[in-house]
Amino acid sequence: MTEIVLGVGASHSTLMNTHWEETLHKERAERFRDALKEARDELAAARPDTVILVGSNHFRGFWLDLVPAFTLGVGECVASGESGTPKGPQPVDVPLARHIAGALVESGRFDPAYSARLQIDHGQSHAIQYLLDGLDVEIVPLVVNVFAPPLPTLERCEELGRAIREAVLTFPGDRRVAVIGSGGLSHRLPWPDWRDPHGDDEEFMVGAWLNGRDNWQDYDARRREIIRAAEAALNPGFDDEFLSLVEKGETHRVTRFTTEELEKTAGNGAQEVRTWLLMAALLDHVPGRRLAYEPMPEWLTGMAVAVLDPAPPS
């Protein structure tokens, strides 16, 4: 019998790797890092065989020449390795991944893109680095478009999570499956709407997203400069409200936001809460536990970790 044994939502930031010593709010950073370790230990205790890893793409695995709303990795998976995150091939649970893809199509509800040679970036490899450290598991990577509008609606993401849950539970094997949603919470990246860039920096960014498939590393130095020069725009009030929904098992209520409303309220980076929403739907919206929330302006992001455990309390 296949069962879903744990869910984890966690923010990511490559600045943990590249600028730890320059971090001003060290106590906050350490509390967040410790919460990642606690979540990792809970994952280890749940003994998953496979982790469905839901994350975003920062134009190092997808580019503007082709941007699906949802992409399942069903074969090879390679991490790009930027900013000190894991690099190279990652183990994929191919039978489960292909079962999910097929079941979604057969249901008539979703036609996800799929890739037999998927490249992921820190939107997922950050979670591999910190949450799967030392764990002998395979992954099913699911990449959600959260940065190249038009974006899939929050409601559509929640529906996909429920559909994947149904697919997983009908898998004719014997799997213990965990789910990770990697991204968010509130933050604003100095990234343009690719359809209407203004100024040299925004034109450069769109050019990198369009032309970087074969040489994305060539753009990274200036990309990093633009990001490091940005001012933080956090909304701890939104973050607390969102985490309260997670704790109450009501993450689905975030679907009341339109894409535009979410960006206005919590920044363009908050579109990554789609990954948490998908994760929570896969866990049937069981109430979660907040392990940490730390506003980190030097990382431009409201950093949070939460765990959703479907096991009844002992």
Side-chain angles (χ1 to χ4, degrees), residues 189-249:
L189 297 171
W191 288 8
D193 182 327
W194 67 270
R195 301 164 296 185
D196 187 29
H198 297 279
D200 290 344
D201 284 348
E202 293 193 358
E203 293 281 0
F204 169 81
M205 284 295 222
V206 173
W209 300 344
L210 181 62
N211 302 312
R213 179 172 294 278
D214 296 322
N215 61 334
W216 60 266
Q217 297 95 332
D218 295 346
Y219 296 92
D220 258 19
R222 184 171 172 188
R223 277 182 52 149
R224 204 68 171 175
E225 290 175 1
I226 292 170
I227 290 171
R228 291 295 292 158
E231 293 185 8
L234 310 184
N235 186 338
F238 168 85
D239 295 342
D240 182 68
E241 179 183 357
F242 178 77
L243 290 169
S244 294
L245 293 177
V246 173
E247 291 172 315
K248 292 184 287 188

Side-chain angles (χ1 to χ4, degrees), residues 37 127 129 159 172 194 233 252 266 276 290 300 306:
K37 291 178 181 177
Q129 180 176 12
E159 291 170 352
W194 67 270
H252 57 89
W276 288 59
R290 185 187 319 201
L300 304 180

Side-chain angles (χ1 to χ4, degrees), residues 145-313:
N145 173 31
V146 302
F147 289 127
L151 308 182
T153 65
L154 289 155
E155 184 176 15
R156 189 66 169 160
C157 292
E158 200 272 339
E159 291 170 352
L160 177 60
R162 284 189 275 144
I164 294 176
R165 174 182 173 83
E166 293 174 13
V168 169
L169 295 179
T170 62
F171 181 64
D174 187 13
R175 295 284 196 281
R176 294 177 62 83
V177 178
V179 188
I180 293 175
S182 177
L185 298 183
S186 70
H187 62 296
R188 181 170 299 281
L189 297 171
W191 288 8
D193 182 327
W194 67 270
R195 301 164 296 185
D196 187 29
H198 297 279
D200 290 344
D201 284 348
E202 293 193 358
E203 293 281 0
F204 169 81
M205 284 295 222
V206 173
W209 300 344
L210 181 62
N211 302 312
R213 179 172 294 278
D214 296 322
N215 61 334
W216 60 266
Q217 297 95 332
D218 295 346
Y219 296 92
D220 258 19
R222 184 171 172 188
R223 277 182 52 149
R224 204 68 171 175
E225 290 175 1
I226 292 170
I227 290 171
R228 291 295 292 158
E231 293 185 8
L234 310 184
N235 186 338
F238 168 85
D239 295 342
D240 182 68
E241 179 183 357
F242 178 77
L243 290 169
S244 294
L245 293 177
V246 173
E247 291 172 315
K248 292 184 287 188
E250 298 178 356
T251 316
H252 57 89
R253 293 187 180 276
V254 78
T255 60
R256 71 180 185 271
F257 284 97
T258 67
T259 296
E260 292 74 20
E261 289 168 344
L262 181 58
E263 177 169 350
K264 184 177 180 180
T265 301
N268 57 356
Q271 305 293 357
E272 288 181 324
V273 300
R274 286 165 170 78
T275 66
W276 288 59
L277 179 60
L278 265 156
M279 176 274 297
L282 265 152
L283 271 291
D284 200 26
H285 293 292
V286 298
R289 287 184 292 110
R290 185 187 319 201
L291 301 187
Y293 173 70
E294 301 296 340
M296 293 295 297
E298 57 268 61
W299 295 352
L300 304 180
T301 305
M303 307 295 291
V305 185
V307 171
L308 280 65
D309 189 346

Side-chain angles (χ1 to χ4, degrees), residues 20-36:
W20 182 268
E21 294 307 319
E22 299 174 30
T23 298
L24 299 177
H25 297 90
K26 274 285 179 24
E27 291 185 358
R28 298 181 190 178
E30 289 169 354
R31 285 193 295 266
F32 173 75
R33 184 180 60 187
D34 289 346
L36 288 179

